[in-house]
Amino acid sequence: MVRFVHFGDTHLGRRNFKLEERERDFEEAFKQVIDFAIRKKVDFVIHSGDIFDTGRPRYRVVNFLVSQLLRLKREGIPFFTIPGSHDVAPDGTLLSTLHKVGLLKNLGEEEYFEKRGEEIILRGESYKGVFIAGIPGRRANISKFYEKLRPELKGDFRILIFHHIISDISGKFSDIEKEVLPRGFDYYAGGHWHSRFETSFNGKPVVYPGSTEVWDVREVGEKGFFYVEDGRREWIPLKTRKFVELVVNCDDLTPSEVNEKVKEQMKPNDGAILLIRLKGRLKGGSKAEINRKGIMDAASEKGYLYANIYTSELLNPEEAQVSLENKSLQEIEKEYLEKKGYEGKKLEIGMKLIELFGKKLTASEIEVNKKKLFGMLGL
Ligand SMILES: [Mn+2]
């Protein structure tokens, strides 16, 4: 009876809103999975890529991971993984180092791939009668790469770890068609998609646990991982930071009235992140006069860890209603950049730059945008 845990996209080192607490949150989620694996005494752990948020994680992030891998090692529980798109730097991945010192098995190492003419023999590891192979989250010609793979299938249960989005999930973001997956596996452990997704291929499960914490506010939702016992799969939810959305209609309000209304509608909380979306059209003054610091201080007093205020749906008194056209233009720009191969952070930066080009900005808006861009660039 084989028992294992499958998680992924842990993005250690990630912060939202530059909050140190958020970095701890990502670690806490990772630790919960390791705690579970040890408590359940599983045979092994599978991670489907993006252990780290960047290819050059800071030392304290590396130290955290190493201490968790050591906990597993002491219990005799191996950790199988592949490098996700975020784990790779221009000159390689830290996972190779961790593989060499025996803290994990990086199934994306070259030793697991052998070119034989046009074909690539895909080797893996055999452990307790289970065959585990992996495909690193590389991008270039990825479908062709999949088609060339000839897995060296062994054992009575076979697992493939991969880090690409199949078209069943999203046509827009897909990397591969499900049909290019190599046949003969009993469990396809997917990564890269940050929400839970489950389907099948040839009658075998193709599953994505999603990220273990909220990488971006657009993916707020339940986070968790899979526990598999004798082929039976169970979803285990994680305790993660709560996000609360507050939508405030600001029609016919002045900026100072907006402040009062937001504070009124803010319910007390215990540590959540508050996302405030201001909507409608102001009666007087302008968006720039809204006292953001006042709102953020109020949120802090009510017990929130942080409040982020979105004003893109808020109109100044004389501003033309352009939302529909404006939105579709943004979508066109986004699609264009995606077609050119931009994704993730690069896409975000590209969108931001397009947004700022030719715009008349006040000194404080320039400062805010400068900070945002520097944050995106990691400066
Ligand atoms: Mn990811």
Side-chain angles (χ1 to χ4, degrees), residues 93-161:
T93 169
L94 186 66
L95 303 189
S96 294
T97 314
L98 297 169
H99 177 83
K100 284 195 176 78
V101 298
L103 280 176
L104 52 73
K105 289 278 183 192
N106 172 17
L107 298 168
E109 289 294 306
E110 274 182 29
E111 64 195 76
Y112 296 106
F113 300 84
E114 189 201 316
K115 265 202 112 172
R116 207 179 275 173
E118 276 300 289
E119 301 185 339
I120 300 166
I121 310 299
L122 174 64
R123 300 195 203 293
E125 289 277 343
S126 290
Y127 185 76
K128 292 191 178 178
V130 179
F131 176 71
I132 310 165
I135 301 166
R138 47 174 266 177
R139 282 279 162 282
N141 292 318
I142 190 60
S143 294
K144 281 221 176 74
F145 184 75
Y146 269 91
E147 281 163 6
K148 286 180 188 171
L149 291 174
R150 298 293 173 270
E152 212 174 42
L153 299 165
K154 298 176 225 176
D156 25 87
F157 193 81
R158 298 140 177 189
I159 299 169
L160 181 73
I161 313 176

Side-chain angles (χ1 to χ4, degrees), residues 9 11 49-50 85-86 163 192-194 215:
D9 290 275
H11 288 269
D50 284 357
S85 37
H86 284 252
H163 192 82
H192 196 36
W193 185 248
H194 281 189
W215 186 81

